[in-house]
């Protein structure tokens, strides 16, 4: 080791841990363990403060809503497929499922939250209504071939989770410009493109925006909630199925057999 070499310590404002105590954002872990819920802790870790009752209820509902959507969902299928080939590592199977989360599966909340922030800011700056701004942005997206994140679903014509989140947000006094803008986008998309329902990503993006979360949390919260479902999918695969039982049918459509000349 070179003399005088020194590494600056990592800095964190999340957890203070040393012999005899663990404090999360200043709260003793013993008090949190006996007096708060897991959703409270998620909110605390990401926002620095404990949630109000309405915020806790919304975060609970989001986590339940994204926990699982059947074994055929890309994240769940990836986790099962990974375990089918490597039954010695449940952690790698869960990780495989998380790695399947992205813009096209479960991760569109991030993009939708960015879109909401842009739309609300434009409406204020240009002194337009949220409805007019939504129609303008959908028209712009259509002209450039961009997809509006948070809309459409391969299974549901109406996502049953959307209305629940919006109703909870309104009942708890949380609903604001985020919910209003996403609701304005839906008829604008139907008019300019085709009817597409607000899906769970769009709904959670609207609610989280109104709760003050940054866009990245729109994807992180899906990962947090879906991990619960992935562990169940992996546990079922391990307990009920044989190794290598998942054999995906493959049809070759390449060149015909040929000799090396």
């Amino acid at each position: 080791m070179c003399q005088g070499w020194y590494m600056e310590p990592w800095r964190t404002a999340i957890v203070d841990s040393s012999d005899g105590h663990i404090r999360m954002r200043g709260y003793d872990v013993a008090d949190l363990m006996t007096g708060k819920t897991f959703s409270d802790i998620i909110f605390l870790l990401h926002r620095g403060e404990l949630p109000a009752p309405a915020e806790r209820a919304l975060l609970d509902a989001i986590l339940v809503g994204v926990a699982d959507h059947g074994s055929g969902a890309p994240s769940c299928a990836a986790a099962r497929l990974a375990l089918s080939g490597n039954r010695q590592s449940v952690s790698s199977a869960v990780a495989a499922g998380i790695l399947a989360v992205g813009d096209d599966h479960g991760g569109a909340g991030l993009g939708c939250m960015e879109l909401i922030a842009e739309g609300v800011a434009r409406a204020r700056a240009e002194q337009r209504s949220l409805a007019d701004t939504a129609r303008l942005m959908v028209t712009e997206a259509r002209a450039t071939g961009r997809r509006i994140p948070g809309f459409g679903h391969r299974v549901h014509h109406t996502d049953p989770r959307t209305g629940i989140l919006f109703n909870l947000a309104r009942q708890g006094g949380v609903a604001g410009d985020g919910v209003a803008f996403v609701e304005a986008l839906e008829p604008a998309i139907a008019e300019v493109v085709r009817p597409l329902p607000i899906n769970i990503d769009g709904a959670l993006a609207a609610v989280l925006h109104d709760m003050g979360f940054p866009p990245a949390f729109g994807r992180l919260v899906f990962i947090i909630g879906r991990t619960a479902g992935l562990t169940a999918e992996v546990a079922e695969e391990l307990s009920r199925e044989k190794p290598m039982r998942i054999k995906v049918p493959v049809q070759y459509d390449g060149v015909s057999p040929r000799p090396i000349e």
Side-chain angles (χ1 to χ4, degrees):
M1 181 182 296
C2 298
Q3 290 184 347
W5 181 87
Y6 177 71
M7 178 182 286
E8 290 287 341
W10 286 9
R11 297 187 305 161
T12 180
I14 301 173
V15 175
D16 172 24
S17 176
S18 61
D19 187 18
H21 77 263
I22 304 171
R23 299 189 185 97
M24 298 180 182
R25 301 289 192 182
Y27 293 104
D28 190 271
V29 71
D31 295 331
L32 295 172
M33 290 171 67
T34 56
K36 296 299 175 182
T37 69
F38 186 46
S39 291
D40 288 330
I41 304 310
I42 294 169
F43 193 100
L44 173 66
L45 291 171
H46 283 269
R47 292 291 302 280
E49 300 294 340
L50 290 165
E55 293 171 323
R56 179 195 303 115
L58 276 166
L59 188 53
D60 273 336
I62 290 171
L63 294 170
V64 171
V66 303
D68 207 331
H69 198 276
S71 300
S75 54
C76 299
R80 284 183 174 260
L81 182 62
L83 190 75
S84 184
N86 181 10
R87 293 170 69 84
Q88 288 69 46
S89 180
V90 294
S91 56
S92 65
V94 172
I98 292 173
L99 290 172
V101 176
D103 290 345
D104 297 313
H105 169 57
L110 186 159
C112 192
M113 288 185 74
E114 292 176 336
L115 184 72
I116 293 167
E118 178 188 353
V120 171
R122 284 186 64 174
R124 292 172 180 170
E126 299 170 8
Q127 297 185 330
R128 299 175 185 269
S129 68
L130 290 176
D132 287 343
T133 303
R135 191 177 302 106
L136 174 63
M137 292 179 68
V138 170
T139 302
E140 292 172 347
R142 177 69 183 273
T144 57
R146 290 183 293 115
R147 182 179 176 182
I148 301 293
F151 291 81
H153 201 284
R154 64 188 179 89
V155 175
H156 305 294
H157 290 97
T158 299
D159 195 320
R161 299 164 293 186
T162 297
I164 292 172
L165 290 182
F166 286 176
N167 287 338
L168 284 173
R170 289 192 172 92
Q171 291 167 10
V174 173
D177 286 343
V179 171
F181 186 69
V182 168
E183 288 186 323
L185 282 170
E186 188 172 39
I189 292 171
E191 176 185 336
V192 176
V193 186
R194 61 186 175 88
L196 294 171
I198 304 169
N199 61 32
I200 184 64
D201 293 318
L204 67 83
V207 171
L208 291 175
H209 173 88
D210 289 341
M211 291 169 68
F213 281 95
F217 193 69
R219 183 166 298 179
L220 294 174
V221 74
F222 184 91
I223 293 171
I224 295 168
R226 180 52 58 95
T227 298
L230 293 177
T231 58
E233 298 282 349
V234 166
E236 183 178 74
E237 186 71 26
L238 187 65
S239 64
R240 291 177 48 171
E241 306 296 345
K242 297 179 180 179
M244 291 291 291
R245 69 101 181 174
I246 301 177
K247 298 178 181 179
V248 180
V250 176
Q251 180 177 341
Y252 177 76
D253 63 358
V255 298
S256 301
R258 54 184 172 173
I260 298 176
E261 297 181 357

